[in-house]
Amino acid sequence: MWPLLFASLLGTEPIPPSQLLPYPPMHWHSWNTFCGENEVNEQNMRQVADALISTGMADAGYTMVNVVCNGWTGRNASTGELLENKTLWPNGIRSLADYLHSKTPKLQLGCYTSPATKNCCGEPGSLAYEYVDMETFAQWGCDHVMVDWCRAYSDPKQTRDEYALIGQAIANSSNPNMIYGIWPGGMGKSWKWGAASGGHYWRTARDIKNDWEDVLFNFDTPYSVPDIASYTKPGGYTFLDQMVVGVVPHPGGIRGNGLSLNETIAHMSMWVMAASPLLTCNDVRNMSSEIKDILTNSEVLAVHKDPLAKMAVRIDVGGGVEAGHSIDTSATYHVYGRMLVDGSSAVMVLNRGESEAMITVHTEDIGDSMHTTYQLRDLWSHTNLSTASMQFSVLVPAHGVRLLRATPVAPPPPPSCPTGWTMHSPAGYWHNTFPCTNATFKNCKEDSMNGTMTACANKCDTTQSCVAFEVFEPGTPTAACYIFIGSMELPFTTCEGCVTCVKGTHTKKPY
């Protein structure tokens, strides 16, 4: 139990998950960029750190450098501690951690292992060395531990038990605040036990490939679970696997032919809407402006960082029939909604089809059911669209999305009168008969049920002198509103429920 004593002496107190990770983490991940032998090394990782700073990626939130493989060569025969690969890390992994921590904004170091005798790269895994390895990572200055289910158990219970043991080892290390990433793929329903095992995020799908079909597959997989969104909250997230945004296909790298620009934008949108950790694997040292703009879009990342940290729910399936929460592969489009802290909703309209499509969304399906009118904003084009009531339609490219922010439009305030004015309604008959010099009418508002409120307001909201207004009893066949300006009579459609503010003397006159 010496790690607990060590942590106590340092004053390292555990930070609640919701404070440690108030929104899903944003990392750079060495897998898929450095695929050649010995490419994951101190020099290349320092170059990546410098690029994260110079490109603005770190300012956008990508502050973790995950080092996958090539970290160590074996174990100390007497202590069992991992032995660093001094050829690739001549100054030691702790030196890289210090280099990252010295940056502004501060960068962090992610370390990698497996709950087996060997990890995915053939190096020693952490099985039977859980406490030793987690303390080693803490001493190296690691801020994040990824535990990938390579060469490990196939039994779901053993999976849960091993991940829980590693979670205990992190909690008992000299840095109990290392972010814990649980990577069992879809094995063992990790969303049910990930948080209880100490995890901050848990992977739910298979290893992703660099193609459209696999992006869809990894996005669809968690949504086959009826209540999956209920497991996501600040400090605990469903992880769809690393992203392939900007990953260039190359020999030895991830399989697949890559994504088009529309597919790349859709990929980023899906991960954000699912409140998944964003682990980007592209070569940030040689990144196009298009890819950088996609990864750092401030309006899209505002959704990702929203304090509610809610996972989007699927609200519509078009072109097919949804059976429970199973994925209908014949559906040509899906619509997802994610509630945001300011009362607005992020809405993603996903076109899975092979041609562009005009897709209609019903406002009653998004956000707060108390609101039916929304101001729409396109988060990728940074443009305001029209105000939508009841429904709206958007043109969505093939294999693409429209990602919108829908902000409720407050209903107009009820009619009111200025100081010194009196409000009248057509409860009886009345007619204004006062001198032109005192005659001014304001705020004639029609009952909203009649559908002519705008016309009524335009006709009645006037400050001209010599105005008279006559209201007949609502519900009678001849009920109507008239405005008299001078000798000109302006009748308009039935105006039951008009409210008029009047100033001056007046008398009632039956019709």
Side-chain angles (χ1 to χ4, degrees), residues 343-385:
S344 64
S345 294
V347 180
M348 182 181 73
V349 187
L350 168 63
N351 183 1
R352 306 164 70 96
E354 300 302 320
S355 58
E356 70 176 5
M358 185 68 73
I359 298 173
T360 298
V361 178
H362 297 277
T363 59
E364 66 182 358
D365 294 331
I366 63 177
D368 185 349
S369 60
M370 297 296 291
H371 295 92
T372 57
T373 303
Y374 292 86
Q375 173 63 56
L376 303 177
R377 181 170 177 81
D378 191 308
L379 301 187
W380 286 111
S381 66
H382 304 292
T383 56
N384 287 328
L385 308 181

Side-chain angles (χ1 to χ4, degrees), residues 25-34 48 52 55 57-58 60-68 146 183 208 239 241-248 264 267-268 271 276-284 287 291-292 294-296 301 304:
M26 300 167 62
H27 299 173
W28 177 87
H29 198 62
S30 66
W31 201 267
N32 296 329
T33 289
F34 296 100
V48 166
L52 289 173
T55 59
M57 289 279 285
Y62 299 93
T63 55
M64 185 76 70
V65 175
N66 289 338
V67 175
V68 181
M146 301 157 283
W183 292 41
I208 196 170
F239 179 41
D241 200 12
Q242 58 198 307
M243 297 193 298
V244 292
V245 172
V247 173
V248 179
T264 300
H267 176 18
M268 179 75 174
W271 264 235
S276 170
L278 303 181
L279 272 66
T280 183
C281 301
N282 63 311
D283 190 347
V284 293
M287 179 170 48
I291 294 301
K292 186 185 79 169
I294 290 171
L295 289 170
T296 62
L301 291 181
H304 181 74

Side-chain angles (χ1 to χ4, degrees), residues 337-497:
R338 177 177 169 180
M339 286 291 294
L340 305 176
V341 71
D342 65 353
S344 64
S345 294
V347 180
M348 182 181 73
V349 187
L350 168 63
N351 183 1
R352 306 164 70 96
E354 300 302 320
S355 58
E356 70 176 5
M358 185 68 73
I359 298 173
T360 298
V361 178
H362 297 277
T363 59
E364 66 182 358
D365 294 331
I366 63 177
D368 185 349
S369 60
M370 297 296 291
H371 295 92
T372 57
T373 303
Y374 292 86
Q375 173 63 56
L376 303 177
R377 181 170 177 81
D378 191 308
L379 301 187
W380 286 111
S381 66
H382 304 292
T383 56
N384 287 328
L385 308 181
S386 61
T387 299
S389 296
M390 305 305 292
Q391 65 182 37
F392 62 88
S393 298
V394 287
L395 186 63
V396 188
H399 293 194
V401 299
R402 294 293 294 275
L403 184 60
L404 310 174
R405 191 172 189 131
T407 302
V409 176
S416 61
C417 294
T419 302
W421 294 66
T422 303
M423 181 176 291
H424 290 265
S425 64
Y429 319 131
W430 54 270
H431 181 67
N432 296 282
T433 57
F434 42 82
C436 292
T437 54
N438 294 326
T440 306
F441 282 67
K442 292 205 179 261
N443 299 334
C444 174
K445 299 291 185 184
E446 182 199 11
D447 188 305
S448 61
M449 296 300 292
N450 288 321
T452 55
M453 181 183 292
T454 301
C456 187
N458 289 342
K459 294 286 194 300
C460 297
D461 190 5
T462 177
T463 58
Q464 298 186 51
S465 297
C466 296
V467 174
F469 183 77
E470 187 166 333
V471 177
F472 298 89
E473 183 178 12
T476 64
T478 57
C481 294
Y482 295 86
I483 294 179
F484 299 89
I485 301 179
S487 61
M488 183 171 60
E489 180 180 298
L490 301 177
F492 52 102
T493 56
T494 300
C495 189
E496 297 182 9

